[in-house]
Amino acid sequence: MMTLFMQFNRVQRSLNGYSIRSSSIMEYWYLAVLPIVFLIVWKFLPQIEKKVKKVSGVADDSPQASIFDQLCRVHRLSRNERKLIQQVAVLNKVANPARIFIDNRPLLKLKGKGAHVNKEYTALYRKLYGDISA
């Protein structure tokens, strides 16, 4: 009888150890999920980074953006003037805002849009191309 009781205790301890080990696997479920989440974030990080840069206004690293930044520095444009050029590019569906430094037609199209807007565009036009008599 004592032998049977000792074997029962041994079996019970063995089962208790199993249940503890199996519950510890459930406690560490995040170790299985974490690599999957990491791979998903790594896969979509470039797209997320582009969206964050666009929202926050951080400059793009593309060669076109670099040219635009250099032209703005050479012409000593303020942040508002840079934004104004980008708005003109969007309104006129110009792919690269740097083209506005070469082609004055997008700015001329917005010449008569209103007193306040006209002042800003006129000042920008004079800064880039000189006299607005055109």
Side-chain angles (χ1 to χ4, degrees), residues 48-94:
I48 294 169
E49 185 181 8
K50 283 181 184 177
K51 287 182 182 180
V52 168
K53 280 184 177 181
K54 184 181 270 187
V55 169
S56 65
V58 175
D60 191 9
D61 294 337
S62 68
Q64 292 177 349
S66 161
I67 291 170
F68 177 71
D69 289 338
Q70 289 175 8
L71 285 169
C72 288
R73 263 187 250 118
V74 166
H75 288 278
R76 295 185 180 137
L77 298 181
S78 68
R79 181 179 293 171
N80 290 335
E81 291 169 335
R82 289 177 186 211
K83 287 182 181 178
L84 193 61
I85 288 178
Q86 290 172 340
Q87 289 173 356
V88 169
V90 169
L91 288 173
N92 289 298
K93 298 175 183 165
V94 177

Side-chain angles (χ1 to χ4, degrees), residues 104 108 111 125 129-134:
N104 66 348
L108 287 176
K111 191 174 176 182
Y125 189 91
Y129 305 110
D131 192 17
I132 196 161
S133 61

